[in-house]
Amino acid sequence: MEKIIFNGELVERTGINIDIEDRGYQFGDGIYEVIRVYNGKLFTKEEHIKRLYESAEKISMELPYDRNSLEEQLENLVKENQLKTGIIYLQFTRGVAMRAHGFPGDDVVPVFIAYTREVERPESSMKNGVKGILVDDIRWLRCDIKSLNLLGNILAKQEAANHGCFEAIQHRSNIVTEGSSSNAFVIKNGELWTHPATNLILNGITRRVILDICKEQGIQVIEKPFTVDELLDADEIFISSTTSEIMPIVQLAKNTKSDILLNEKTIGDGKPGQLTRKLQELFEKEIEKQCYSARLFS
Ligand SMILES: *Cc1c(COP(=O)(O)O)cnc(C)c1O
């Protein structure tokens, strides 16, 4: 049987009780991470753990473990479940307390759960590209926190699903921010543009790996807000996330619910563009480097 972690213990999934007064359950008061596992190894592990602690700090939540202990717990979980290709989902809520909006007392400790799931790499979608749809970004103004509160993201993703699209691309008064669970990029004349890592987007770890690759390869990156018109005028569009890696958007669907209404539009020639494909290759090399070759250190 697959194990999960509940408050630091490896247990059966069926063996735990979530309290109805858990603040995650009642308020979405908590934070989470999704970490990719390739070949039984955690990809960009340190970066995810670091972001988790940053998210915790931004909502004034003190996590009950230090980073090393948390890493060890997650690695044990992967080993125990013999996961090869998949993800770890982990979350901390602010704990269990009688329902009241304000923070509970210091005696209330965060509730931690983590589980693994087998998830293949989305190879055929990455090869052929997927459809996106433009939607309004209706989220709050602290999108830099990986919060359990995902209603805005959920409504955006459902709008995409309703139109047979893989992802919603959100814009806030004409500025493209990000996907519902991914970061958004456009390529124009060989330059890569993406929204700067402000409070209006979640600074994806995949995004950061891509930017590092570009720096190494001398590919020009411009972290600046760009408009919906610039999105439509792009040579290539892709989104990035832990589970979807680098996912080409080859078509935008006609939308019905945005301040900016668009007709269906094919991007480039309707196939993943050249620079997107190059970045996919380089990203795969990074996976190989981190998760397949024997590492000298660590
Ligand atoms: C998690 C997430 C991303 C992607 O981040 P990765 O670390 O690359 O998985 C982008 N946008 C939002 C809103 C997210 O929640």
Side-chain angles (χ1 to χ4, degrees):
M1 253 311 263
E2 248 175 42
K3 293 279 170 59
I4 66 160
I5 303 174
F6 182 55
N7 292 335
E9 309 269 354
L10 269 180
V11 293
E12 300 285 334
R13 194 188 188 115
T14 49
I16 67 160
N17 287 310
I18 299 297
D19 198 291
I20 60 165
E21 285 189 313
D22 189 297
R23 291 178 64 93
Y25 181 58
Q26 293 198 331
F27 295 119
D29 184 2
I31 51 165
Y32 76 104
E33 280 293 324
V34 179
I35 307 177
R36 248 297 179 189
V37 175
Y38 299 108
N39 192 35
K41 301 208 172 65
L42 281 67
F43 181 67
T44 54
K45 175 183 66 180
E46 262 93 51
E47 290 85 345
H48 282 279
I49 303 279
K50 180 160 179 281
R51 186 174 66 188
L52 177 79
Y53 280 82
E54 285 166 0
S55 289
E57 195 176 342
K58 287 171 179 176
I59 64 164
S60 305
M61 192 167 121
E62 200 177 326
L63 301 186
Y65 314 107
D66 65 28
R67 286 178 201 197
N68 288 337
S69 151
L70 187 61
E71 277 180 28
E72 209 173 291
Q73 290 186 48
L74 297 175
E75 274 166 349
N76 277 339
L77 178 70
V78 166
K79 215 195 259 169
E80 175 73 27
N81 290 340
Q82 297 178 15
L83 181 69
K84 286 285 168 269
T85 307
I87 54 128
I88 305 175
Y89 175 84
L90 63 145
Q91 69 167 46
F92 284 87
T93 73
R94 204 183 298 277
V96 176
M98 194 174 74
R99 188 177 184 282
H101 287 58
F103 291 176
D106 291 344
D107 54 323
V108 173
V109 285
V111 171
F112 170 43
I113 61 110
Y115 59 79
T116 60
R117 202 168 79 198
E118 276 183 44
V119 183
E120 290 306 315
R121 300 182 60 207
E123 297 197 32
S124 85
S125 299
M126 287 195 292
K127 186 156 175 278
N128 299 314
V130 294
K131 271 178 28 169
I133 188 166
L134 188 76
V135 306
D136 297 339
D137 193 339
I138 61 164
R139 300 173 302 162
W140 71 331
L141 296 173
R142 290 306 305 276
C143 298
D144 55 310
I145 302 170
K146 211 158 173 76
S147 151
L148 294 181
N149 265 286
L150 290 172
L151 261 183
N153 310 61
I154 287 166
L155 294 178
K157 188 75 100 193
Q158 187 56 39
E159 187 61 12
N162 290 345
H163 289 80
C165 294
F166 183 87
E167 178 61 302
I169 296 179
Q170 303 175 97
H171 71 90
R172 206 184 275 275
S173 44
N174 200 30
I175 296 294
V176 175
T177 50
E178 63 174 334
S180 72
S181 59
S182 60
N183 293 113
F185 300 78
V186 298
I187 294 166
K188 185 70 187 171
N189 300 328
E191 285 177 3
L192 185 66
W193 300 354
T194 194
H195 195 285
T198 65
N199 62 306
L200 298 183
I201 69 159
L202 193 283
N203 187 1
I205 305 297
T206 319
R207 173 186 184 277
R208 300 181 213 179
V209 172
I210 292 165
L211 297 189
D212 285 347
I213 288 172
C214 287
K215 208 174 283 172
E216 258 174 47
Q217 297 285 322
I219 297 163
Q220 174 89 341
V221 174
I222 305 185
E223 290 182 75
K224 64 151 198 189
F226 59 89
T227 64
V228 170
D229 282 336
E230 287 173 312
L231 176 81
L232 295 174
D233 191 42
D235 299 330
E236 306 176 31
I237 303 177
F238 68 84
I239 53 168
S240 76
S241 79
T242 290
T243 44
S244 300
E245 300 182 11
I246 295 174
M247 185 61 78
I249 302 282
V250 293
Q251 197 169 42
L252 292 174
K254 179 181 163 73
N255 63 357
T256 47
K257 260 197 179 159
S258 171
D259 286 347
I260 302 177
L261 292 177
L262 300 180
N263 279 318
E264 187 168 270
K265 175 143 192 354
T266 300
I267 306 304
D269 60 2
K271 295 199 194 90
Q274 197 188 334
L275 189 48
T276 303
R277 281 184 284 128
K278 181 174 173 186
L279 289 172
Q280 285 177 325
E281 265 172 46
L282 293 165
F283 190 81
E284 197 160 282
K285 288 225 171 77
E286 188 58 35
I287 296 172
E288 277 165 23
K289 196 166 99 189
Q290 286 195 30
C291 300
Y292 287 85
S293 57
R295 275 194 277 175
L296 285 176
F297 307 101
S298 97

PDB file of all heavy atoms in Angstrom, residues 268-294:
ATOM      1  N   GLY A 268       2.034  30.992 -34.854  1.00  0.00           N
ATOM      2  CA  GLY A 268       3.036  30.525 -35.827  1.00  0.00           C
ATOM      3  C   GLY A 268       2.355  29.676 -36.885  1.00  0.00           C
ATOM      4  O   GLY A 268       1.314  30.053 -37.419  1.00  0.00           O
ATOM      5  N   ASP A 269       2.915  28.504 -37.146  1.00  0.00           N
ATOM      6  CA  ASP A 269       2.286  27.625 -38.137  1.00  0.00           C
ATOM      7  C   ASP A 269       1.470  26.512 -37.467  1.00  0.00           C
ATOM      8  O   ASP A 269       1.207  25.480 -38.073  1.00  0.00           O
ATOM      9  CB  ASP A 269       3.336  27.054 -39.101  1.00  0.00           C
ATOM     10  CG  ASP A 269       4.402  26.245 -38.369  1.00  0.00           C
ATOM     11  OD1 ASP A 269       4.296  26.105 -37.126  1.00  0.00           O
ATOM     12  OD2 ASP A 269       5.338  25.747 -39.016  1.00  0.00           O
ATOM     13  N   GLY A 270       1.114  26.739 -36.195  1.00  0.00           N
ATOM     14  CA  GLY A 270       0.275  25.752 -35.513  1.00  0.00           C
ATOM     15  C   GLY A 270       1.056  24.573 -34.955  1.00  0.00           C
ATOM     16  O   GLY A 270       0.469  23.606 -34.468  1.00  0.00           O
ATOM     17  N   LYS A 271       2.365  24.676 -35.027  1.00  0.00           N
ATOM     18  CA  LYS A 271       3.229  23.638 -34.441  1.00  0.00           C
ATOM     19  C   LYS A 271       4.202  24.307 -33.469  1.00  0.00           C
ATOM     20  O   LYS A 271       4.478  25.500 -33.607  1.00  0.00           O
ATOM     21  CB  LYS A 271       4.048  22.939 -35.542  1.00  0.00           C
ATOM     22  CG  LYS A 271       3.216  22.160 -36.531  1.00  0.00           C
ATOM     23  CD  LYS A 271       4.108  21.142 -37.256  1.00  0.00           C
ATOM     24  CE  LYS A 271       3.418  20.588 -38.481  1.00  0.00           C
ATOM     25  NZ  LYS A 271       3.705  21.383 -39.704  1.00  0.00           N
ATOM     26  N   PRO A 272       4.719  23.546 -32.513  1.00  0.00           N
ATOM     27  CA  PRO A 272       5.698  24.136 -31.594  1.00  0.00           C
ATOM     28  C   PRO A 272       6.848  24.778 -32.365  1.00  0.00           C
ATOM     29  O   PRO A 272       7.351  24.199 -33.326  1.00  0.00           O
ATOM     30  CB  PRO A 272       6.182  22.932 -30.779  1.00  0.00           C
ATOM     31  CG  PRO A 272       5.024  21.982 -30.807  1.00  0.00           C
ATOM     32  CD  PRO A 272       4.418  22.142 -32.174  1.00  0.00           C
ATOM     33  N   GLY A 273       7.226  25.966 -31.953  1.00  0.00           N
ATOM     34  CA  GLY A 273       8.258  26.710 -32.669  1.00  0.00           C
ATOM     35  C   GLY A 273       9.659  26.226 -32.352  1.00  0.00           C
ATOM     36  O   GLY A 273       9.880  25.431 -31.438  1.00  0.00           O
ATOM     37  N   GLN A 274      10.586  26.765 -33.116  1.00  0.00           N
ATOM     38  CA  GLN A 274      11.964  26.288 -33.070  1.00  0.00           C
ATOM     39  C   GLN A 274      12.638  26.544 -31.718  1.00  0.00           C
ATOM     40  O   GLN A 274      13.272  25.655 -31.149  1.00  0.00           O
ATOM     41  CB  GLN A 274      12.742  27.012 -34.175  1.00  0.00           C
ATOM     42  CG  GLN A 274      14.046  26.365 -34.545  1.00  0.00           C
ATOM     43  CD  GLN A 274      14.834  27.246 -35.505  1.00  0.00           C
ATOM     44  OE1 GLN A 274      14.255  28.045 -36.243  1.00  0.00           O
ATOM     45  NE2 GLN A 274      16.146  27.116 -35.480  1.00  0.00           N
ATOM     46  N   LEU A 275      12.471  27.756 -31.194  1.00  0.00           N
ATOM     47  CA  LEU A 275      13.151  28.077 -29.934  1.00  0.00           C
ATOM     48  C   LEU A 275      12.497  27.326 -28.770  1.00  0.00           C
ATOM     49  O   LEU A 275      13.191  26.869 -27.847  1.00  0.00           O
ATOM     50  CB  LEU A 275      13.123  29.599 -29.695  1.00  0.00           C
ATOM     51  CG  LEU A 275      13.956  30.135 -28.539  1.00  0.00           C
ATOM     52  CD1 LEU A 275      15.377  29.574 -28.537  1.00  0.00           C
ATOM     53  CD2 LEU A 275      14.003  31.659 -28.572  1.00  0.00           C
ATOM     54  N   THR A 276      11.181  27.167 -28.823  1.00  0.00           N
ATOM     55  CA  THR A 276      10.496  26.378 -27.793  1.00  0.00           C
ATOM     56  C   THR A 276      11.052  24.958 -27.772  1.00  0.00           C
ATOM     57  O   THR A 276      11.344  24.404 -26.706  1.00  0.00           O
ATOM     58  CB  THR A 276       8.975  26.343 -28.066  1.00  0.00           C
ATOM     59  OG1 THR A 276       8.493  27.682 -28.128  1.00  0.00           O
ATOM     60  CG2 THR A 276       8.232  25.593 -26.964  1.00  0.00           C
ATOM     61  N   ARG A 277      11.222  24.378 -28.958  1.00  0.00           N
ATOM     62  CA  ARG A 277      11.733  23.000 -29.033  1.00  0.00           C
ATOM     63  C   ARG A 277      13.170  22.928 -28.528  1.00  0.00           C
ATOM     64  O   ARG A 277      13.550  21.977 -27.840  1.00  0.00           O
ATOM     65  CB  ARG A 277      11.620  22.457 -30.464  1.00  0.00           C
ATOM     66  CG  ARG A 277      10.188  22.009 -30.789  1.00  0.00           C
ATOM     67  CD  ARG A 277      10.067  21.386 -32.155  1.00  0.00           C
ATOM     68  NE  ARG A 277      10.090  22.411 -33.194  1.00  0.00           N
ATOM     69  CZ  ARG A 277      10.900  22.406 -34.243  1.00  0.00           C
ATOM     70  NH1 ARG A 277      11.764  21.424 -34.417  1.00  0.00           N
ATOM     71  NH2 ARG A 277      10.855  23.383 -35.112  1.00  0.00           N
ATOM     72  N   LYS A 278      13.945  23.930 -28.828  1.00  0.00           N
ATOM     73  CA  LYS A 278      15.323  23.953 -28.327  1.00  0.00           C
ATOM     74  C   LYS A 278      15.334  24.011 -26.795  1.00  0.00           C
ATOM     75  O   LYS A 278      16.099  23.306 -26.141  1.00  0.00           O
ATOM     76  CB  LYS A 278      16.059  25.167 -28.918  1.00  0.00           C
ATOM     77  CG  LYS A 278      17.493  25.263 -28.474  1.00  0.00           C
ATOM     78  CD  LYS A 278      18.236  26.380 -29.186  1.00  0.00           C
ATOM     79  CE  LYS A 278      19.628  26.556 -28.580  1.00  0.00           C
ATOM     80  NZ  LYS A 278      20.327  27.714 -29.132  1.00  0.00           N
ATOM     81  N   LEU A 279      14.454  24.848 -26.231  1.00  0.00           N
ATOM     82  CA  LEU A 279      14.391  24.951 -24.771  1.00  0.00           C
ATOM     83  C   LEU A 279      13.915  23.635 -24.147  1.00  0.00           C
ATOM     84  O   LEU A 279      14.395  23.232 -23.091  1.00  0.00           O
ATOM     85  CB  LEU A 279      13.474  26.114 -24.358  1.00  0.00           C
ATOM     86  CG  LEU A 279      14.049  27.511 -24.633  1.00  0.00           C
ATOM     87  CD1 LEU A 279      13.008  28.594 -24.375  1.00  0.00           C
ATOM     88  CD2 LEU A 279      15.297  27.774 -23.781  1.00  0.00           C
ATOM     89  N   GLN A 280      12.998  22.968 -24.820  1.00  0.00           N
ATOM     90  CA  GLN A 280      12.558  21.654 -24.318  1.00  0.00           C
ATOM     91  C   GLN A 280      13.733  20.674 -24.244  1.00  0.00           C
ATOM     92  O   GLN A 280      13.883  19.938 -23.266  1.00  0.00           O
ATOM     93  CB  GLN A 280      11.481  21.064 -25.240  1.00  0.00           C
ATOM     94  CG  GLN A 280      10.110  21.722 -25.077  1.00  0.00           C
ATOM     95  CD  GLN A 280       9.091  21.170 -26.062  1.00  0.00           C
ATOM     96  OE1 GLN A 280       9.418  20.843 -27.201  1.00  0.00           O
ATOM     97  NE2 GLN A 280       7.838  21.078 -25.629  1.00  0.00           N
ATOM     98  N   GLU A 281      14.555  20.688 -25.293  1.00  0.00           N
ATOM     99  CA  GLU A 281      15.725  19.797 -25.314  1.00  0.00           C
ATOM    100  C   GLU A 281      16.688  20.120 -24.187  1.00  0.00           C
ATOM    101  O   GLU A 281      17.193  19.229 -23.505  1.00  0.00           O
ATOM    102  CB  GLU A 281      16.487  19.965 -26.632  1.00  0.00           C
ATOM    103  CG  GLU A 281      16.112  18.974 -27.703  1.00  0.00           C
ATOM    104  CD  GLU A 281      16.776  19.341 -29.032  1.00  0.00           C
ATOM    105  OE1 GLU A 281      17.996  19.643 -29.031  1.00  0.00           O
ATOM    106  OE2 GLU A 281      16.060  19.350 -30.047  1.00  0.00           O
ATOM    107  N   LEU A 282      16.939  21.418 -24.000  1.00  0.00           N
ATOM    108  CA  LEU A 282      17.881  21.828 -22.961  1.00  0.00           C
ATOM    109  C   LEU A 282      17.316  21.529 -21.571  1.00  0.00           C
ATOM    110  O   LEU A 282      18.054  21.175 -20.652  1.00  0.00           O
ATOM    111  CB  LEU A 282      18.203  23.320 -23.104  1.00  0.00           C
ATOM    112  CG  LEU A 282      18.997  23.676 -24.372  1.00  0.00           C
ATOM    113  CD1 LEU A 282      18.950  25.183 -24.634  1.00  0.00           C
ATOM    114  CD2 LEU A 282      20.444  23.201 -24.251  1.00  0.00           C
ATOM    115  N   PHE A 283      15.997  21.650 -21.436  1.00  0.00           N
ATOM    116  CA  PHE A 283      15.356  21.341 -20.156  1.00  0.00           C
ATOM    117  C   PHE A 283      15.515  19.848 -19.847  1.00  0.00           C
ATOM    118  O   PHE A 283      15.814  19.461 -18.717  1.00  0.00           O
ATOM    119  CB  PHE A 283      13.881  21.737 -20.197  1.00  0.00           C
ATOM    120  CG  PHE A 283      13.210  21.667 -18.855  1.00  0.00           C
ATOM    121  CD1 PHE A 283      13.355  22.695 -17.935  1.00  0.00           C
ATOM    122  CD2 PHE A 283      12.439  20.573 -18.503  1.00  0.00           C
ATOM    123  CE1 PHE A 283      12.740  22.628 -16.680  1.00  0.00           C
ATOM    124  CE2 PHE A 283      11.815  20.490 -17.261  1.00  0.00           C
ATOM    125  CZ  PHE A 283      11.968  21.526 -16.353  1.00  0.00           C
ATOM    126  N   GLU A 284      15.362  19.042 -20.878  1.00  0.00           N
ATOM    127  CA  GLU A 284      15.524  17.599 -20.693  1.00  0.00           C
ATOM    128  C   GLU A 284      16.955  17.259 -20.264  1.00  0.00           C
ATOM    129  O   GLU A 284      17.171  16.387 -19.427  1.00  0.00           O
ATOM    130  CB  GLU A 284      15.154  16.888 -21.999  1.00  0.00           C
ATOM    131  CG  GLU A 284      14.894  15.416 -21.818  1.00  0.00           C
ATOM    132  CD  GLU A 284      14.066  14.862 -22.975  1.00  0.00           C
ATOM    133  OE1 GLU A 284      12.845  15.085 -22.979  1.00  0.00           O
ATOM    134  OE2 GLU A 284      14.647  14.224 -23.859  1.00  0.00           O
ATOM    135  N   LYS A 285      17.908  17.983 -20.817  1.00  0.00           N
ATOM    136  CA  LYS A 285      19.301  17.783 -20.402  1.00  0.00           C
ATOM    137  C   LYS A 285      19.471  18.082 -18.917  1.00  0.00           C
ATOM    138  O   LYS A 285      20.217  17.416 -18.221  1.00  0.00           O
ATOM    139  CB  LYS A 285      20.236  18.702 -21.206  1.00  0.00           C
ATOM    140  CG  LYS A 285      20.417  18.278 -22.651  1.00  0.00           C
ATOM    141  CD  LYS A 285      21.897  18.331 -23.066  1.00  0.00           C
ATOM    142  CE  LYS A 285      22.103  17.698 -24.428  1.00  0.00           C
ATOM    143  NZ  LYS A 285      21.659  18.620 -25.531  1.00  0.00           N
ATOM    144  N   GLU A 286      18.779  19.119 -18.451  1.00  0.00           N
ATOM    145  CA  GLU A 286      18.856  19.494 -17.039  1.00  0.00           C
ATOM    146  C   GLU A 286      18.252  18.382 -16.160  1.00  0.00           C
ATOM    147  O   GLU A 286      18.785  18.069 -15.095  1.00  0.00           O
ATOM    148  CB  GLU A 286      18.124  20.832 -16.820  1.00  0.00           C
ATOM    149  CG  GLU A 286      18.274  21.439 -15.439  1.00  0.00           C
ATOM    150  CD  GLU A 286      19.725  21.696 -15.021  1.00  0.00           C
ATOM    151  OE1 GLU A 286      20.561  22.044 -15.890  1.00  0.00           O
ATOM    152  OE2 GLU A 286      20.011  21.538 -13.804  1.00  0.00           O
ATOM    153  N   ILE A 287      17.165  17.793 -16.621  1.00  0.00           N
ATOM    154  CA  ILE A 287      16.569  16.663 -15.896  1.00  0.00           C
ATOM    155  C   ILE A 287      17.581  15.522 -15.808  1.00  0.00           C
ATOM    156  O   ILE A 287      17.795  14.931 -14.745  1.00  0.00           O
ATOM    157  CB  ILE A 287      15.284  16.156 -16.597  1.00  0.00           C
ATOM    158  CG1 ILE A 287      14.200  17.229 -16.579  1.00  0.00           C
ATOM    159  CG2 ILE A 287      14.783  14.873 -15.939  1.00  0.00           C
ATOM    160  CD1 ILE A 287      12.967  16.878 -17.427  1.00  0.00           C
ATOM    161  N   GLU A 288      18.208  15.234 -16.948  1.00  0.00           N
ATOM    162  CA  GLU A 288      19.200  14.156 -16.974  1.00  0.00           C
ATOM    163  C   GLU A 288      20.344  14.442 -16.018  1.00  0.00           C
ATOM    164  O   GLU A 288      20.774  13.572 -15.263  1.00  0.00           O
ATOM    165  CB  GLU A 288      19.753  13.954 -18.394  1.00  0.00           C
ATOM    166  CG  GLU A 288      18.837  13.094 -19.234  1.00  0.00           C
ATOM    167  CD  GLU A 288      19.153  13.175 -20.721  1.00  0.00           C
ATOM    168  OE1 GLU A 288      20.303  13.520 -21.079  1.00  0.00           O
ATOM    169  OE2 GLU A 288      18.228  12.927 -21.521  1.00  0.00           O
ATOM    170  N   LYS A 289      20.802  15.674 -16.056  1.00  0.00           N
ATOM    171  CA  LYS A 289      21.933  16.057 -15.206  1.00  0.00           C
ATOM    172  C   LYS A 289      21.581  15.861 -13.727  1.00  0.00           C
ATOM    173  O   LYS A 289      22.357  15.310 -12.963  1.00  0.00           O
ATOM    174  CB  LYS A 289      22.286  17.533 -15.486  1.00  0.00           C
ATOM    175  CG  LYS A 289      23.644  17.946 -14.967  1.00  0.00           C
ATOM    176  CD  LYS A 289      24.079  19.287 -15.551  1.00  0.00           C
ATOM    177  CE  LYS A 289      23.794  20.403 -14.567  1.00  0.00           C
ATOM    178  NZ  LYS A 289      24.001  21.744 -15.159  1.00  0.00           N
ATOM    179  N   GLN A 290      20.380  16.324 -13.348  1.00  0.00           N
ATOM    180  CA  GLN A 290      20.019  16.282 -11.923  1.00  0.00           C
ATOM    181  C   GLN A 290      19.561  14.907 -11.450  1.00  0.00           C
ATOM    182  O   GLN A 290      19.771  14.554 -10.294  1.00  0.00           O
ATOM    183  CB  GLN A 290      18.892  17.284 -11.636  1.00  0.00           C
ATOM    184  CG  GLN A 290      19.344  18.719 -11.626  1.00  0.00           C
ATOM    185  CD  GLN A 290      18.301  19.627 -10.988  1.00  0.00           C
ATOM    186  OE1 GLN A 290      17.543  19.240 -10.108  1.00  0.00           O
ATOM    187  NE2 GLN A 290      18.261  20.866 -11.444  1.00  0.00           N
ATOM    188  N   CYS A 291      18.902  14.169 -12.316  1.00  0.00           N
ATOM    189  CA  CYS A 291      18.205  12.966 -11.831  1.00  0.00           C
ATOM    190  C   CYS A 291      18.723  11.650 -12.398  1.00  0.00           C
ATOM    191  O   CYS A 291      18.355  10.591 -11.899  1.00  0.00           O
ATOM    192  CB  CYS A 291      16.706  13.076 -12.111  1.00  0.00           C
ATOM    193  SG  CYS A 291      15.944  14.494 -11.298  1.00  0.00           S
ATOM    194  N   TYR A 292      19.543  11.703 -13.434  1.00  0.00           N
ATOM    195  CA  TYR A 292      19.994  10.442 -14.030  1.00  0.00           C
ATOM    196  C   TYR A 292      21.475  10.167 -13.879  1.00  0.00           C
ATOM    197  O   TYR A 292      21.885   9.039 -13.717  1.00  0.00           O
ATOM    198  CB  TYR A 292      19.584  10.352 -15.507  1.00  0.00           C
ATOM    199  CG  TYR A 292      18.098  10.112 -15.646  1.00  0.00           C
ATOM    200  CD1 TYR A 292      17.204  11.181 -15.634  1.00  0.00           C
ATOM    201  CD2 TYR A 292      17.589   8.824 -15.753  1.00  0.00           C
ATOM    202  CE1 TYR A 292      15.837  10.966 -15.726  1.00  0.00           C
ATOM    203  CE2 TYR A 292      16.225   8.598 -15.848  1.00  0.00           C
ATOM    204  CZ  TYR A 292      15.353   9.677 -15.840  1.00  0.00           C
ATOM    205  OH  TYR A 292      14.008   9.465 -15.934  1.00  0.00           O
ATOM    206  N   SER A 293      22.300  11.215 -13.934  1.00  0.00           N
ATOM    207  CA  SER A 293      23.731  10.943 -13.830  1.00  0.00           C
ATOM    208  C   SER A 293      24.117  10.919 -12.352  1.00  0.00           C
ATOM    209  O   SER A 293      23.536  11.606 -11.532  1.00  0.00           O
ATOM    210  CB  SER A 293      24.516  12.017 -14.574  1.00  0.00           C
ATOM    211  OG  SER A 293      24.185  13.285 -14.066  1.00  0.00           O
ATOM    212  N   ALA A 294      25.091  10.084 -12.051  1.00  0.00           N
ATOM    213  CA  ALA A 294      25.567  10.023 -10.673  1.00  0.00           C
ATOM    214  C   ALA A 294      26.103  11.394 -10.287  1.00  0.00           C
ATOM    215  O   ALA A 294      26.829  12.019 -11.050  1.00  0.00           O
ATOM    216  CB  ALA A 294      26.666   8.975 -10.569  1.00  0.00           C
TER     217      ALA A 294
END
